[in-house]
Amino acid sequence: MPTPSMEDHIEQIYLLIESKGYARVSDIADALEVHPSSVTKMVQKLDKDGYLNYEKYRGLILTAQGKKIGKRLVYRHELLEQFLALIGVDQENIYQDVEGIEHHLSWNSIDRIGDLVQYFEINPKRAEELAELRQKADQE
């Protein structure tokens, strides 16, 4: 299983390829706010570990394994954002909170959060009741 840093890189590469059709070291570095040399080292490690294929000065592509993990990591991130919004976390805090917790939850926990989000989507009245409960608590 990849480390949290590896996950961040795979997730960003996946997102860049999905949106632009390619991912360059400079784009990854900008998105992650790290030095390009750090990205190059990580890309070489990800290549060695079979998550992507990298050719110096030519670019990189995710392997089937890298795509699968990238898709799952994006799902995890989006799900956690959805969950935090659902439980009433202020919008300006959601991204940072997700970045802080996403690597510390097991996939079992992520799947259970997914179940809960799905429950509230299927039962919007329950989501409204939760929001009302939150508003009452905020007023006290």
Side-chain angles (χ1 to χ4, degrees):
M1 202 57 202
T3 66
S5 180
M6 292 168 78
E7 287 183 349
D8 286 340
H9 283 75
I10 293 169
E11 180 180 5
Q12 195 56 57
I13 291 165
Y14 181 87
L15 287 168
L16 285 166
I17 291 172
E18 285 294 302
S19 67
K20 295 172 68 171
Y22 61 91
R24 298 180 307 192
V25 167
S26 59
D27 296 329
I28 300 163
D30 288 345
L32 295 175
E33 298 178 351
V34 297
H35 292 285
S37 60
S38 298
V39 173
T40 298
K41 288 177 188 170
M42 180 59 74
V43 163
Q44 290 168 343
K45 179 165 180 38
L46 293 170
D47 179 57
K48 182 176 152 265
D49 291 351
Y51 297 108
L52 57 82
N53 294 318
Y54 173 67
E55 287 185 47
K56 194 172 181 178
Y57 306 117
R58 303 222 69 173
L60 54 93
I61 57 167
L62 290 169
T63 61
Q65 179 186 15
K67 284 180 190 174
K68 180 179 178 184
I69 290 173
K71 186 175 185 175
R72 182 96 163 130
L73 294 172
V74 169
Y75 164 78
R76 175 181 71 185
H77 190 101
E78 291 172 351
L79 176 67
L80 289 172
E81 284 185 351
Q82 198 177 3
F83 173 69
L84 293 179
L86 179 72
I87 63 171
V89 173
D90 293 336
Q91 193 63 42
E92 63 268 11
N93 296 330
I94 290 177
Y95 182 81
Q96 277 305 116
D97 288 351
V98 169
E99 287 297 311
I101 64 173
E102 67 183 337
H103 301 295
H104 301 285
L105 295 173
S106 68
W107 284 105
N108 181 254
S109 293
I110 296 296
D111 290 340
R112 297 302 66 82
I113 289 170
D115 293 343
L116 185 61
V117 168
Q118 185 177 22
Y119 170 80
F120 282 114
E121 286 175 346
I122 293 169
N123 301 284
K125 185 159 175 40
R126 297 292 182 214
E128 291 169 16
E129 290 170 352
L130 178 61
E132 290 169 8
L133 181 66
R134 226 179 19 251
Q135 285 176 342
K136 286 180 186 175
D138 289 345
Q139 292 171 354
E140 294 175 358

